[in-house]
Amino acid sequence: MARRTPTPPPAVPEHIVDIDVAEEMRGSFLEYAYSVIYSRALPDARDGLKPVQRRILFQMSEMGLRPDRGHVKSARVVGDVMGRLHPHGDGAIYDALVRMAQPFSLRLPLVDGHGNFGSLDDGPAAMRYTECRLDPAALLMTTSLDEDVVDFTPNYDGRETEPVVLPAAIPNLLVNGAAGIAVGMATNIPPHNLGEVVAAARHLLTHPRAGLDELMTFVPGPDLPAGGRIIGLDGVREAYETGRGSFRIRATAHIENVTPRRKGIVVTELPYNVGPEKVIARIKEAVDAKKLTGISAVDDFSDMESGLRLVIEVKNGFVPEAVLEQLYALTPMEDSFGINAVALVEGQPRTLGLRELLTVFVDHRLEVVRRRSAHRRRKAEERLHLVDGLLVAILDIDEVIALIRSCDDAAAARTRLMQVFDLSEVQASYILEMPLRRLTRFSRIELETERDELRARIEELSAILDDDKILRRLVGDEMAAVAREHGTPRRTVLLEAGPAPAQRTAVSLEVSDDPCIVLASSTGLLARTSDDRDLPADGERGPHDVVVAAVRATARGEVGAVTSTGRVLRVPVIELPTLPVTSTAPSLAGGVPLGALLELGRQERVVGLCSLSGDGPGLALGSARGVVKRVSPDVPATSDTWSVIRLDDGDEVVAAVELATGDEELVFVTSDGQLLHFPASSVRAQGRPAGGVSGIRLGDGARVVFFGAVEADRDSLVVTAAGSSGALPGTSGATVKVTPFAEFPGKGRATAGVRAQRFLKGEDELVLAWVGPAPARAATPQGAPAPLPPVDERRDGSGLPTSKPVAAVGGPLTPGGPRPQASA
C-alpha cells in the first residue's frame, strides 16, 4: 500500500515590525517604574499606606474582622485580598499583613495578630498557622468609608471598587513610619509618638502659618517602638526641614553586678530594627577578631513578660564603662537611621519635611470631615422630606385611606396622593409602603420629635460646612479624642550629640593598677576601696556592718585570706567590687561573699587578711589553745594555697593580724575572762612549717576567744561580753563592758594575764571580746549597728545589758595605715 504524502500547511504571511530597541526599552522601563512607584513601594502622604496595606485594611473591614470579634486565619484574609483587590501574589500580601501586626515594627500596630508573627531575628509562621483581626487603631483608618468621605476606583478587573485612600483619623505616615524601595527613589520615615504628632497637627489647624521651630516644640524627634536613645538632634532637624537627614540610635544599657564576683552590661533596649541575635553575632565576631576585649560571656534572657534583657559579662580587670563604649563603636548597639521622607502627594512622589507632612494630613482630614458632614446633611434632608410627608398623611389619614381604596392600582394611588396632598413622588411612594402600625397617635408624636431633631442636625451640619473655623475645631477635637484613647508615653530618649564612633578617643579598657585597700566585714563580705580618701574618719559610723579586717594592696594585685585551719588562700583583688566608703558610710553591703571567692572546707572560716607583697614584719597568729606565732614574710610564687602554722589536733587559728611596725602589743582574751598583752618583739619570727610558741597560759576548760594587735601609744578599748556556756546561741542576752586598754597592765608571754570582766549570776564565760583603737563599733548578727554601753574605767567590773545582741566589734580605719581588726 502506497504511503500518502501529508499536505503541507498553508504558508502564514510574515508580519515583522521594525522598532527602535532604545525606544522600546525606555517605554517598558517607564511603565515598570510607574507601576512600582504608584502601586507598590511608596505610601500615600494622606493615610501613610502603600496600596497593599490599604487593601488589606479595607478588605478586613469588609469582612467584619473588628476587634470585638474572633480572629480568622491569615490565609483567608490573604486569599480575599489577592482575589478581589491585589493580584500580586500571596507572599507580598502576607508580608505586609505581618508587619502591620508587629509591635516592634510599628509604633501603633493596625492588625491584631494571634500566633507567631515573627521577631527581629526570626520570620513569622506560615499564614495557615496564624490568625488576625483588626486592631482598635485600624478602625480609625477605615471609619466612615460608607459616608462618601473618599473616592472609590474600580479594582484590577473592573468588577468591584476599592478606596483610593482611607479616611485615616490618625497621622499614620508619621506615627508608624514607612520604608520602601521604588525605581530610582526610596522612602524611609521613622515612627513618631501619636500624642506629639496630634498636638502638632492641632497647632497647625489653628495656626496654618506655624513654622518648623513651633512644630518641633510638639514633635522634638522620632519615637521608636523599641525605645533606645537618639544621640544628636541636628540630623533630625535637617530631616524635618528638608525631608532628608540622619541620626544615631543607641541601645539603652546599664552596668550592674551580674554575679557576686563580676559586673556586666545589661541591655534593655536596642536600636530600631536591630535584634539581640544580630548583636550577639557581631560581638562574637569582634571578640574572635581581637577587636573587642574584656567580654567573657553574652547571654540573652529576653522573654515575653520582662522584655529584652541582654547580659554582657565583663571580665575582671576591665572597666565596664570603657567596654560599653567599645560595644557602641563596634556593634549594632549604636546604629544610624537615614530619613528620606518621600511620599505620594496628588499622585506625584515628593520629598516632604515635617510641616509638609502635617499639612497634607490636616488637609486630608478637613476634606474627609467636610465630605462626611455633607453626606450626613444630605441623608438628614432626605429623611426629613419623608417625615414631612408622613406627618401630612397621618393628619388626614381617613382621607388618605379612602383615596387609596378608590384607586385601581398603586400607580393611580401614587398620582392621586401627589395631586391631592401636594406630595412628591418619593413621599407618595413611601406613604403607600407605610405599615399600618405607623398609623397610631404615638407614631405622630415620634415623627414630630424626629422632625425637630433632623432640623437641628441639618442646622448643625450646615454650620460646619459654612464656617471654616467650626470645621477646624471639629477636626481638632476628633484628633484630641484619638490621642487620648490611643496615645502612649514616649519611649525613645533624645540626647545631645556626642562624638561619632570614628571620632571617639581611645580609652583604656583595663583597670589600672592603682593602690587600694581590701576590707572584710563581720558578715563575711569582701570589697575594696579606691584609695585612702574613701576611708571614714575616727568615730564615724555607717549604716550597716563593721569592718573587721583591712590590708593594703593594688587593684591588679593579690591578698591572702587566712583561715582557721592555718591556710592562706590567694584572693585576686580585681575580682572584688570597688565600694566608695564615704565618711558617713563605712559599709560593705555591696561586697562579695567569701564563699563566692574561696573554696573553704567544712567548719573552716576566714580569720584575717594579709598582704602578699613579702615586705614588712610579717603576720601574727593566735590559736584557740593559746599558741602565738609570727610568720616570716615568705610567700610561695606559684601556689594558690599554703599553710602558715602547724596546729595540734583540736586546735584552730582564732585570728591572724598583719603587723605594721613589729612594735605592737599582741593581745589574748580567753573565755574565762583573762586578758594578756605583751610586745610582739618578744615573739621570734618563724618559718611557715613551725608550730609557734606558747602565748597565754589557759585555765581548765578555757579557750582563746580573741587575738589581735594594738599600738602601744594609741588610745585603745577593750570590749567584752559575758554569757552562759549552757545557753543555746542567740537565746541568752549578754552583758557588755567597754574598758580603756590602758587599765590592763602588760605581762610576760606565756602567763595567765589579768581579769577583764567579772561574771554576774548565770554568766560563766566570755562569748565575745575585742581589743582595738577607739572608738569601737558593734554590729548585730545581721550586720546592723548595735549600741555599746559607756566606757567603764573598772578593769574587772561587770557588764551592762544592751538593747540589741552584739555579734562583732570593729574599730576605725585610719588613712595612715589601716590594720586588720579582729572579730569576736
Side-chain angles (χ1 to χ4, degrees):
M1 183 176 180
R3 297 180 61 185
R4 295 181 60 185
T5 304
T7 303
V12 178
E14 294 184 353
H15 183 70
I16 301 175
V17 179
D18 292 329
I19 62 173
D20 184 7
V21 175
E23 206 53 45
E24 177 68 18
M25 292 292 294
R26 185 179 299 109
S28 299
F29 179 78
L30 288 177
E31 291 181 6
Y32 168 73
Y34 180 89
S35 175
V36 172
I37 291 173
Y38 295 99
S39 301
R40 297 192 187 185
L42 296 185
D44 192 294
R46 293 170 291 181
D47 61 5
L49 297 173
K50 300 177 184 179
V52 63
Q53 297 171 325
R54 185 179 304 114
R55 289 163 178 166
I56 290 172
L57 295 180
F58 172 67
Q59 182 58 34
M60 293 181 71
S61 177
E62 291 291 292
M63 295 169 66
L65 302 181
R66 297 190 296 271
D68 57 347
R69 297 192 177 181
H71 296 80
V72 302
K73 286 290 185 181
S74 300
R76 178 182 170 188
V77 175
V78 171
D80 283 6
V81 172
M82 181 171 59
R84 296 187 57 207
L85 306 172
H86 195 76
H88 292 292
D90 57 350
I93 299 172
Y94 186 55
D95 288 345
L97 187 149
V98 165
R99 188 176 188 276
M100 289 193 292
Q102 293 174 333
F104 52 84
S105 295
L106 300 188
R107 189 62 177 81
L108 189 65
L110 301 176
V111 173
D112 178 12
H114 180 68
N116 179 14
F117 275 79
S119 66
L120 288 168
D121 298 306
D122 296 314
M127 69 180 78
R128 62 183 179 273
Y129 299 120
T130 61
E131 299 178 342
C132 64
R133 65 184 177 188
L134 289 175
D135 194 86
L139 298 181
L140 301 173
M141 300 292 295
T142 59
T143 185
S144 301
L145 269 176
D146 57 346
E147 295 185 287
D148 192 32
V149 293
V150 295
D151 295 332
F152 278 70
T153 185
N155 68 337
Y156 66 92
D157 60 4
R159 298 181 181 180
E160 301 186 39
T161 59
E162 61 177 311
V164 176
V165 66
L166 294 185
I170 59 176
N172 182 62
L173 185 58
L174 277 168
V175 171
N176 283 325
I181 300 176
V183 178
M185 62 185 66
T187 185
N188 199 29
I189 303 173
H192 291 75
N193 185 272
L194 173 62
E196 295 175 355
V197 175
V198 166
R202 295 184 65 200
H203 182 77
L204 195 62
L205 267 172
T206 55
H207 303 82
R209 296 187 179 182
L212 178 62
D213 291 335
E214 291 182 57
L215 297 177
M216 285 192 67
T217 60
F218 300 98
V219 186
D223 187 22
L224 307 175
R229 301 167 183 267
I230 292 179
I231 309 298
L233 302 180
D234 293 340
V236 173
R237 193 189 192 287
E238 181 183 0
Y240 286 169
E241 184 175 6
T242 65
R244 296 178 184 270
S246 65
F247 57 87
R248 286 183 288 131
I249 317 169
R250 178 176 288 185
T252 300
H254 64 276
I255 297 168
E256 65 179 47
N257 289 329
V258 295
T259 70
R261 301 173 60 178
R262 289 190 175 176
K263 289 186 177 294
I265 300 169
V266 179
V267 182
T268 55
E269 294 174 350
L270 286 173
Y272 186 46
N273 287 334
V274 174
E277 291 186 9
K278 182 179 180 181
V279 174
I280 293 173
R282 290 290 296 274
I283 290 175
K284 290 181 178 179
E285 291 176 5
V287 171
D288 293 341
K290 307 299 183 183
K291 295 180 180 179
L292 186 60
T293 57
I295 294 176
S296 60
V298 182
D299 297 302
D300 186 6
F301 297 103
S302 306
D303 55 42
M304 298 298 294
E305 294 184 1
S306 59
L308 177 68
R309 182 175 173 84
L310 190 63
V311 179
I312 304 170
E313 191 172 320
V314 180
K315 292 180 180 178
N316 292 320
F318 288 82
V319 181
E321 292 79 6
V323 175
L324 179 58
E325 286 297 322
Q326 293 294 311
L327 288 170
Y328 287 142
L330 300 175
T331 71
M333 284 179 58
E334 181 170 316
D335 201 6
S336 179
F337 188 98
I339 300 178
N340 187 23
V342 179
L344 298 177
V345 180
E346 297 181 354
Q348 299 293 326
R350 288 179 51 191
T351 302
L352 307 172
L354 176 63
R355 190 182 188 283
E356 289 78 14
L357 288 169
L358 290 171
T359 300
V360 171
F361 171 73
V362 168
D363 292 344
H364 175 57
R365 286 304 299 169
L366 289 172
E367 178 65 18
V368 166
V369 175
R370 185 182 294 110
R371 292 181 60 167
R372 185 187 67 193
S373 300
H375 175 83
R376 291 177 178 177
R377 184 176 67 174
R378 184 169 60 253
K379 289 294 184 181
E381 290 172 344
E382 293 174 354
R383 177 61 184 170
L384 179 62
H385 184 62
L386 295 176
V387 170
D388 288 339
L390 288 175
L391 286 172
V392 170
I394 288 178
L395 289 175
D396 298 315
I397 191 62
D398 294 335
E399 185 178 353
V400 168
I401 293 174
L403 186 150
I404 294 174
R405 293 185 63 183
S406 65
C407 296
D408 295 333
D409 53 27
R414 183 183 304 110
T415 303
R416 289 284 293 155
L417 286 173
M418 294 170 60
Q419 292 173 351
V420 173
F421 294 101
D422 194 21
L423 299 176
S424 67
E425 182 178 357
V426 174
Q427 289 174 322
S429 299
Y430 191 73
I431 290 173
L432 288 174
E433 297 171 359
M434 181 178 62
L436 292 177
R437 60 182 175 84
R438 298 300 304 271
L439 302 180
T440 63
R441 184 180 302 175
F442 184 71
S443 295
R444 175 184 173 183
I445 298 175
E446 286 182 340
L447 289 173
E448 290 176 345
T449 303
E450 184 181 1
R451 178 194 60 189
D452 296 339
E453 291 176 352
L454 287 171
R455 288 176 178 174
R457 181 63 175 158
I458 291 171
E459 183 179 353
E460 178 185 348
L461 292 171
S462 298
I464 294 174
L465 293 172
D466 297 338
D467 193 333
D468 186 67
K469 291 184 179 179
I470 298 178
L471 175 65
R472 288 179 175 270
R473 187 183 310 117
L474 175 61
V475 173
D477 293 342
E478 291 182 354
M479 289 183 183
V482 169
R484 285 194 301 270
E485 184 177 358
H486 299 279
T488 55
R490 165 171 280 274
R491 299 174 185 172
T492 303
V493 179
L494 305 177
L495 301 175
E496 292 298 329
Q503 299 173 343
R504 294 175 188 157
T505 58
V507 294
S508 175
L509 294 177
E510 296 187 0
V511 176
S512 58
D513 197 22
D514 296 329
C516 64
I517 299 172
V518 178
L519 306 173
S521 77
S522 63
T523 54
L525 300 177
L526 283 178
R528 58 187 169 99
T529 64
S530 55
D531 54 35
D532 287 352
R533 291 171 295 179
D534 288 333
L535 294 177
D538 289 359
E540 294 181 334
R541 291 176 173 268
H544 174 84
D545 218 338
V546 294
V547 176
V548 296
V551 63
R552 288 188 178 277
T554 60
R556 305 189 68 83
E558 296 175 322
V559 297
V562 186
T563 73
S564 58
T565 61
R567 292 195 305 155
V568 176
L569 305 176
R570 289 184 187 269
V571 178
V573 178
I574 200 65
E575 296 189 6
L576 304 180
T578 303
L579 299 180
V581 186
T582 61
S583 61
T584 59
S587 169
L588 270 71
V592 58
L594 288 167
L597 290 172
L598 307 174
E599 293 185 4
L600 301 176
R602 194 173 184 180
Q603 304 297 327
E604 186 179 18
R605 66 186 190 281
V606 175
V607 295
L609 300 177
C610 64
S611 171
L612 301 183
S613 62
D615 301 328
L619 187 69
L621 302 96
S623 77
R625 292 187 176 179
V627 174
V628 63
K629 180 182 179 182
R630 283 184 59 182
V631 185
S632 302
D634 176 19
V635 178
T638 58
S639 300
D640 289 334
T641 177
W642 61 92
S643 177
V644 289
I645 186 173
R646 186 184 71 251
L647 294 172
D648 295 335
D649 293 340
D651 199 3
E652 65 175 1
V653 177
V654 173
V657 183
E658 186 169 55
L659 302 177
T661 62
D663 296 328
E664 294 90 346
E665 289 283 309
L666 300 181
V667 184
F668 280 96
V669 181
T670 65
S671 60
D672 57 357
Q674 297 296 114
L675 184 149
L676 171 66
H677 67 90
F678 51 86
S681 56
S682 64
V683 182
R684 180 176 57 86
Q686 296 176 301
R688 288 186 284 111
V693 296
S694 176
I696 185 172
R697 187 172 70 248
L698 298 176
D700 294 339
R703 68 186 187 283
V704 174
V705 295
F706 172 82
F707 173 79
V710 296
E711 296 178 2
D713 57 351
R714 184 173 183 181
D715 292 337
S716 297
L717 296 175
V718 177
V719 179
T720 53
S724 172
S725 59
L728 295 175
T731 62
S732 175
T735 58
V736 181
K737 184 170 76 75
V738 181
T739 311
F741 178 71
E743 298 296 323
F744 296 87
K747 299 288 184 178
R749 181 179 60 84
T751 61
V754 297
R755 188 165 66 177
Q757 181 170 346
R758 178 163 48 86
F759 295 145
L760 298 176
K761 183 178 180 180
E763 299 175 344
D764 58 4
E765 68 171 5
L766 291 183
V767 296
L768 177 145
W770 175 85
V771 182
R777 299 180 60 245
T780 65
Q782 294 75 31
L788 291 174
V791 176
D792 186 350
E793 299 292 339
R794 298 175 301 164
R795 185 187 68 193
D796 60 348
S798 57
L800 298 174
T802 58
S803 58
K804 294 182 180 180
V806 176
V809 183
L813 301 174
T814 59
R819 292 187 302 279
Q821 308 299 316
S823 63

